[in-house]
């Protein structure tokens, strides 16, 4: 019966044996939804929802929802330090066990992190927080490298901006659901402190699903694109060949131009949660976690649509226009953030939605930080997605650049754990952004040039 249903639903696609991965041919293959690029994005999106999405929701409550921000900042710094190492090893791991099992194994550490926070919340035990952070860091590095390669390397060229936005939407949906759960459980708590332990129980239950979702993924050679092009990600490469490929890529102009932007993007991630925990009441933090997901979805879809949809036929115009929008909004946001932070360091308010005089500007700047974050994230991964059409090469791009990002996150959380004055952190955020701006502009031009060159070769 199932075979008959598959036959009825199947379509045919063609693949060109002579022209390779970029042109159609005469070999007929049955096409089913289970192997489509859309289904693969839905799978990796579901994993992003259960794993990093819920993790971000916890940190959206203000560094894990705990009362002590220094403990969680230190644990997160440790997490990202381990994550940096395993993220760089992504190409070798996927070469050995494939994309599907790398994604599945990468999801296993996330519920352990939440379990550590739960035990600390109930008993005050500290070592379990660090154990959960190390376990999550080791597995999450594999997860980050492979999910990025899937999201950037699997989709057809003309769909990548929107499919990236779909991937980020699922992850942000994790933040939204997590924020909604926390808001429902803590909406009457109008003072500072830690969230209720029942919040963590809900988070752990959701995160345990990630492993099973990952098993639905197809490896690259099994995926069927709408345009008939093949996905090439050869396995079984000698480790020395893989190391040579990674080293050559690490020295390439395309990587070097994107390094400042990825370092900036990683560094700033420690700031919003610490800012939220320092000044906001529990229910306001829960609202912040919920709303940050909503506005990040908004930001990612604006960025993804602008570079993807043919509102102008010139791809270079679309890319540069999006870059200008991202640059302008992000610059204004961090200038505003420094102004608000400078005011708060003198007044030291306890921000709650019952007092609009402090809640309005304090919460407003937090919302714009997340809109800008969503637009920057979509844009930098769109840049990566157009540097290569192969997940085998994309795993190297994402492992290198996400490894740099995680190293920056580790440093950012480590600095906040010292602790460091938030006015200093906000000022560094602004400075790093302005340093990254010219590099990201030239990276944009190089990506468009690479796309035009590839298109010319196909024609």
């Amino acid at each position: 019966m199932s075979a008959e249903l598959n036959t009825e639903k199947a379509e045919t696609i063609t693949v060109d044996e002579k022209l390779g991965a970029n042109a159609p041919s005469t070999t007929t293959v049955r096409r089913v939804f289970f192997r489509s690029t859309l289904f693969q994005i839905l799978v990796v999106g579901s994993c992003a929802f259960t794993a990093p999405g819920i993790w971000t929701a916890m940190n959206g409550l203000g560094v894990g929802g705990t009362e002590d921000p220094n403990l969680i900042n230190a644990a997160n710094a440790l997490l990202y330090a381990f994550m940096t190492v395993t993220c760089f090893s992504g190409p070798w791991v996927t070469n050995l066990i494939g994309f599907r099992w790398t994604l599945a194994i990468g999801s296993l550490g996330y519920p352990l992190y939440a379990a550590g926070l739960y035990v600390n919340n109930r008993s005050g035990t500290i070592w379990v927080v660090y154990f959960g952070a190390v376990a999550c860091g080791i597995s999450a590095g594999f997860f980050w490298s492979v999910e990025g390669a899937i999201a950037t390397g699997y989709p057809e060229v003309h769909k990548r901006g929107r499919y990236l936005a779909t991937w980020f939407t699922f992850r942000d949906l994790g933040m939204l659901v997590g924020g909604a759960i926390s808001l429902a459980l803590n909406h009457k708590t109008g003072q500072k402190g830690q969230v209720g332990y029942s919040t963590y129980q809900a988070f752990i239950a959701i995160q345990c699903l990630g492993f099973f979702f990952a098993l639905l993924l197809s490896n690259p050679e099994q995926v069927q694109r709408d345009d008939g092009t093949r996905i090439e990600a050869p396995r079984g490469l000698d480790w020395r060949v893989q190391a040579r490929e990674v080293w050559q890529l690490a020295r390439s102009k395309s990587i070097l131009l994107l390094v400042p932007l990825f370092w900036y993007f990683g560094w700033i991630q420690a700031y919003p949660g610490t800012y939220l925990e320092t000044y906001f009441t529990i229910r306001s933090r829960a609202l912040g976690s919920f709303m940050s997901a909503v506005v990040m979805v908004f930001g990612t879809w604006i960025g993804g649509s602008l570079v993807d949809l043919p509102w102008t036929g010139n791809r270079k115009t679309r890319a540069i226009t999006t870059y200008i929008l991202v640059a302008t909004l992000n610059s204004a946001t961090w200038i505003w953030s420094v102004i608000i932070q400078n005011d708060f360091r003198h007044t030291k308010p306890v921000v709650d939605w019952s007092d609009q005089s402090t809640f309005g500007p304090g919460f407003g700047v937090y919302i714009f930080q997340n809109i800008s974050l969503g637009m920057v994230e979509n844009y930098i991964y769109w840049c990566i997605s157009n540097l290569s059409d192969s997940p085998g090469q994309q795993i190297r791009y994402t492992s290198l650049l996400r490894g740099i990002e995680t190293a920056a996150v580790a440093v950012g959380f480590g600095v906040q754990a010292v602790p460091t004055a938030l006015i200093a952190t906000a000022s560094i955020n602004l400075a790093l952004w302005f340093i990254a701006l010219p590099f990201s502009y030239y990276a944009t031009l190089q990506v468009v040039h690479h796309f035009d060159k590839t298109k010319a070769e196909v024609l």
Side-chain angles (χ1 to χ4, degrees):
M1 175 65 72
S2 60
E4 293 176 1
L5 290 175
N6 284 337
T7 303
E8 290 176 359
K9 294 180 181 178
E11 301 174 17
T12 60
I13 59 173
T14 58
V15 195
D16 193 37
E17 302 293 344
K18 292 193 293 182
L19 296 180
N22 292 315
S25 95
T26 58
T27 303
T28 301
V29 181
R30 265 192 330 120
R31 179 168 164 246
V32 291
F33 179 67
F34 180 73
R35 300 297 186 190
S36 68
T37 55
L38 175 58
F39 185 81
Q40 312 313 310
I41 292 298
L42 294 177
V43 169
V44 77
S46 299
C47 294
F49 162 73
T50 60
I54 296 297
W55 186 94
T56 306
M58 285 188 288
N59 280 269
L61 296 173
V63 284
T66 66
E67 192 168 5
D68 181 8
N70 296 332
L71 169 64
I72 304 305
N73 278 330
N76 285 346
L78 186 64
L79 183 156
Y80 278 102
F82 277 90
M83 191 172 170
T84 300
V85 176
T86 54
C87 195
F88 281 128
S89 66
W92 287 272
V93 176
T94 53
N95 185 48
L96 288 173
I97 63 176
F99 281 63
R100 180 175 60 181
W101 281 107
T102 304
L103 186 67
I105 292 172
S107 68
L108 292 177
Y110 284 94
L112 296 177
Y113 177 90
L117 296 183
Y118 169 77
V119 173
N120 176 262
N121 183 282
R122 295 298 303 271
S123 65
T125 306
I126 294 177
W127 71 265
V128 291
V129 175
Y130 291 115
F131 174 80
V134 171
C136 186
I138 292 172
S139 71
F142 302 138
F143 187 95
W144 270 41
S145 63
V146 74
E147 70 159 347
I150 295 165
T152 57
Y154 274 31
E156 299 84 350
V157 173
H158 61 284
K159 296 180 179 179
R160 284 178 183 165
R162 286 164 292 169
Y163 277 12
L164 284 170
T166 302
W167 167 40
F168 292 137
T169 297
F170 270 90
R171 186 210 54 201
D172 295 340
L173 183 62
M175 295 168 56
L176 191 148
V177 171
I181 291 171
S182 180
L183 187 60
L185 295 173
N186 301 286
H187 68 280
K188 294 182 180 180
T189 311
Q191 67 271 348
K192 296 173 68 178
Q194 63 184 18
V195 301
Y197 66 83
S198 55
T199 307
Y200 297 110
Q201 292 176 332
F203 288 161
I204 293 169
I206 295 173
Q207 288 188 318
C208 287
L209 298 174
F211 176 83
F212 301 101
F213 286 143
L215 297 180
L216 298 174
L217 185 78
S218 297
N219 280 317
E221 66 276 7
Q222 300 171 310
V223 176
Q224 300 167 342
R225 285 176 172 165
D226 289 345
D227 58 7
T229 57
R230 290 195 306 269
I231 300 179
E232 296 182 357
R235 287 175 56 188
L237 293 177
D238 183 83
W239 70 268
R240 286 161 293 196
V241 175
Q242 190 75 265
R244 186 169 60 250
E245 292 290 332
V246 171
W247 176 242
Q248 289 177 350
L249 194 63
R251 296 180 297 161
S252 67
K253 186 177 179 181
S254 56
I255 288 287
L256 295 177
L257 286 173
L258 286 169
V259 165
L261 192 57
F262 268 85
W263 184 269
Y264 155 80
F265 182 69
W267 165 270
I268 65 170
Q269 292 180 39
Y271 176 82
T274 307
Y275 165 78
L276 210 62
E277 195 281 335
T278 301
Y279 299 111
F280 289 72
T281 61
I282 292 176
R283 65 180 182 182
S284 295
R285 284 153 54 186
L287 178 64
S289 178
F290 177 81
M291 288 303 302
S292 65
V294 175
V295 299
M296 284 188 75
V297 169
F298 176 70
T300 55
W301 275 100
I302 288 179
S305 299
L306 283 174
V307 294
D308 245 12
L309 297 179
W311 53 272
T312 176
N314 191 319
R315 192 176 180 87
K316 180 177 179 180
T317 301
R318 300 204 302 266
I320 293 178
T321 300
T322 306
Y323 167 81
I324 291 172
L325 177 61
V326 171
T328 303
L329 181 62
N330 214 45
S331 300
T333 296
W334 282 114
I335 291 172
W336 186 21
S337 297
V338 171
I339 294 171
I340 293 294
Q341 187 62 71
N342 186 55
D343 179 53
F344 278 13
R345 74 178 175 129
H346 294 298
T347 59
K348 295 181 174 58
V350 176
V351 182
D352 185 70
W353 63 52
S354 62
D355 181 8
Q356 289 299 313
S357 63
T358 55
F359 183 78
F363 194 76
V365 74
Y366 175 76
I367 292 299
F368 271 91
Q369 287 168 9
N370 283 280
I371 294 174
S372 300
L373 199 66
M375 293 188 71
V376 169
E377 186 172 36
N378 186 281
Y379 191 69
I380 58 180
Y381 282 98
W382 175 83
C383 286
I384 294 177
S385 71
N386 284 290
L387 291 174
S388 173
D389 195 48
S390 165
Q393 185 75 333
Q394 285 293 346
I395 190 68
R396 300 184 187 111
Y397 275 113
T398 56
S399 294
L400 285 168
L401 291 171
R402 297 201 92 174
I404 293 166
E405 178 189 339
T406 55
V409 177
V411 173
F413 275 111
V415 168
Q416 290 294 174
V418 171
T420 302
L422 287 177
I423 184 63
T425 310
S427 300
I428 294 172
N429 293 347
L430 178 63
L432 288 175
W433 170 247
F434 280 119
I435 290 171
L437 270 178
F439 291 96
S440 55
Y441 174 74
Y442 286 107
T444 300
L445 296 183
Q446 182 165 335
V447 168
V448 174
H449 173 72
H450 182 274
F451 176 82
D452 290 341
K453 181 180 177 182
T454 303
K455 184 176 180 180
E457 289 174 351
V458 173
L459 294 176

